[in-house]
Amino acid sequence: MKRVAFFMQGGSNGWLGGISYIRNLLTAICSNDARQIEPVLFVNPKLDCATLDGMPAIEIIRTPLAVSKHPARLASKIFYDVVKCDLMLEVLLRKHQIDALSHSYITGINSRVASIGWIPDFQHTRMPQYFSKDELRRRNRGFRRKIDGCHRIVLSSYDAKRDFEAFAPDAIDKSRVLQFVSCLDNRSSVLSRKQLYDRFNIDRPYFHLPNQFWAHKNHAVVIDALSILKSRGVNVLVIATGKTIDYRDPLHFESLIARAKQLGVHENFRVLGIVSLDELQSLMLNSIALINPSNFEGWSTTVEESKSLGLSIVLSDIPVHVEQAPPMARYFKAGSAEDLADKMAAAAHEYDPSVAKQARGLARENLPERIRKFGRVFEEIAVGAIMDLKR
């Protein structure tokens, strides 16, 4: 069996979407009893146990090389620039009999360990206004370094593959599309509606918006839609969860809350911030529908969670959302608060608990095979990269 390694350095202060992605992928790999690969997770020695919540029972190795700014990691990068092989990383991986490193660092084209790079999206090329000139240069260099140093590049969507082809047409043969599947299901630890309402002081049906508060996620259009609905006499509640910090715009969250207050809908837009995995899933399952108003995604975790849990979702009509094709979707014109208000009103009016229960049951039946397929597609990518390197 081939051993495929992954690295995780961050915890609750890191990119939550990335942690969720790795959790889903590892679960999918382990779901196939006849699999040809065995995942191994290398983590920051100080990584909190809560970050590993929901991870499958796999081998976990703690190492300082999982910390990007650790002196050993910085020295390792210097070696890479000289010999096109990360020697310290190579020693660690070969010590643990690793055949491929995926979704993590770059082993290099001269390495004996296959390297599978992951590029979630090309947001910086599509929306450069959200990045400084220095960050645009760093991202371009970093992407090119990853493309040149990896044996395969995994992309999360065909939308991202089109961007990849424009960015690096010379390397298109390295690219593979891996559309991830959320592994959330109806776990026994999910809170009941009463427990949920009591814990978060919820007094009426609500929509759930589980996106981090980054500017491109476009929470502002939801606030504007709430104002429109209020002017129509429709009193709708939206509960938002996720990190409230956008490093590119530290005042972004404050400006959103100020806007909600200015429009008189701050009581209709409740922010809970970061919640536990069980609480997150409970909020999703008890909502009228999820909302994803984002102007850009690589492959939306929120949309995938709606598919796996069998939930209705109101989402922007950007290309990747259309590609994801959730079965219980209401699309609104991206950026249009008026259209979003119409779709939210329709979702609230047409919500039927019995229909929602049937949809959740069907999703639960289909989920295991969707997860196994996700794992099999990745396995094909990983084994292919390993075999090519050995030829």
Side-chain angles (χ1 to χ4, degrees):
M1 188 174 291
K2 307 301 182 184
R3 286 166 61 83
V4 180
F6 301 82
F7 274 72
M8 181 181 291
Q9 63 167 308
S12 59
N13 292 324
W15 175 34
L16 300 182
I19 294 171
S20 175
Y21 180 101
I22 295 299
R23 183 191 298 116
N24 287 323
L25 179 53
L26 294 176
T27 300
I29 293 169
C30 293
S31 70
N32 291 308
D33 294 335
R35 66 181 181 272
Q36 302 176 56
I37 61 176
E38 188 67 30
V40 179
L41 183 61
F42 290 86
V43 302
N44 182 338
K46 297 181 180 180
L47 186 71
D48 56 283
C49 293
T51 301
L52 299 175
D53 181 33
M55 292 285 182
I58 64 172
E59 183 178 354
I60 296 177
I61 300 169
R62 294 183 179 270
T63 171
L65 283 180
V67 183
S68 62
K69 294 185 179 181
H70 190 279
R73 178 93 278 281
L74 295 175
S76 196
K77 291 179 181 178
I78 293 174
F79 284 126
Y80 178 90
D81 290 334
V82 175
V83 298
K84 301 305 178 187
C85 176
D86 194 321
L87 297 179
M88 297 181 72
L89 188 59
E90 180 96 355
V91 170
L92 175 69
L93 296 176
R94 291 176 64 181
K95 174 185 176 183
H96 293 281
Q97 299 179 310
I98 301 300
D99 297 288
L101 175 62
S102 188
H103 289 67
S104 309
Y105 301 126
I106 305 168
T107 58
I109 55 174
N110 292 328
S111 170
R112 292 170 62 184
V113 177
S115 188
I116 304 167
W118 175 41
I119 299 180
D121 60 61
F122 288 82
Q123 183 190 154
H124 77 288
T125 66
R126 295 264 290 273
M127 294 186 160
Q129 67 271 25
Y130 290 123
F131 302 86
S132 68
K133 290 182 179 180
D134 284 344
E135 189 165 15
L136 288 172
R137 283 193 291 269
R138 285 197 301 272
R139 284 195 171 224
N140 284 332
R141 285 198 303 267
F143 278 30
R144 192 68 244 190
R145 177 188 176 99
K146 180 177 293 187
I147 292 166
D148 291 341
C150 288
H151 303 91
R152 291 285 189 278
I153 297 294
V154 168
L155 304 164
S156 295
S157 66
Y158 286 97
D159 186 49
K161 185 174 181 178
R162 288 189 288 272
D163 290 338
F164 179 90
E165 188 167 13
F167 184 86
D170 58 304
I172 193 64
D173 289 344
K174 288 186 177 184
S175 68
R176 300 290 187 275
V177 174
L178 178 68
Q179 299 169 328
F180 79 81
V181 173
S182 169
C183 298
L184 281 181
D185 59 14
N186 294 307
R187 302 191 305 173
S188 59
S189 53
V190 169
L191 301 173
S192 69
R193 183 182 293 269
K194 185 179 185 307
Q195 289 174 320
L196 184 71
Y197 276 38
D198 288 345
R199 179 171 299 187
F200 294 113
N201 194 28
I202 300 171
D203 60 359
R204 62 188 187 274
Y206 63 90
F207 290 86
H208 183 201
L209 202 177
N211 286 0
Q212 298 188 149
F213 283 80
W214 290 338
H216 72 277
K217 296 290 187 179
N218 200 15
H219 291 73
V221 75
V222 177
I223 293 172
D224 290 347
L226 286 172
S227 177
I228 292 170
L229 289 168
K230 187 173 183 180
S231 70
R232 298 176 185 175
V234 181
N235 190 27
V236 172
L237 174 64
V238 171
I239 292 180
T241 55
K243 283 178 62 177
T244 58
I245 299 174
D246 184 343
Y247 74 95
R248 300 167 303 188
D249 185 358
L251 299 179
H252 176 65
F253 177 72
E254 292 180 17
S255 68
L256 287 173
I257 299 305
R259 183 168 183 78
K261 290 179 178 178
Q262 179 186 10
L263 295 175
V265 293
H266 58 284
E267 293 184 356
N268 300 83
F269 187 75
R270 287 191 54 196
V271 179
L272 301 182
I274 297 175
V275 297
S276 72
L277 188 61
D278 290 337
E279 290 169 336
L280 176 70
Q281 187 170 331
S282 302
L283 287 163
M284 288 180 174
L285 288 169
N286 286 284
S287 66
I288 296 169
L290 303 184
I291 301 177
N292 190 341
S294 185
N295 287 327
F296 183 87
E297 295 283 343
W299 189 259
S300 170
T301 300
T302 297
V303 175
E304 283 307 306
E305 288 166 344
S306 79
K307 292 161 68 174
S308 294
L309 295 173
L311 304 178
S312 295
I313 184 167
V314 180
L315 69 168
S316 56
D317 63 352
I318 58 177
V320 73
H321 281 170
V322 175
E323 182 181 335
Q324 288 186 262
M328 301 178 66
R330 284 182 172 85
Y331 289 99
F332 72 94
K333 184 177 180 181
S336 172
E338 191 79 31
D339 196 18
L340 174 55
D342 291 342
K343 298 304 189 297
M344 289 174 66
H349 177 71
E350 297 171 15
Y351 178 72
D352 184 333
S354 63
V355 173
K357 184 177 180 180
Q358 290 177 355
R360 291 197 298 270
L362 181 60
R364 189 165 53 247
E365 291 177 12
N366 294 335
L367 182 58
E369 179 53 31
R370 293 180 61 237
I371 292 173
R372 284 192 290 269
K373 181 179 178 181
F374 175 33
R376 287 194 298 268
V377 173
F378 174 76
E379 182 177 294
E380 291 174 4
I381 294 171
V383 171
I386 294 167
M387 293 298 100
D388 282 356
L389 185 62
K390 291 183 177 180
R391 289 193 180 101

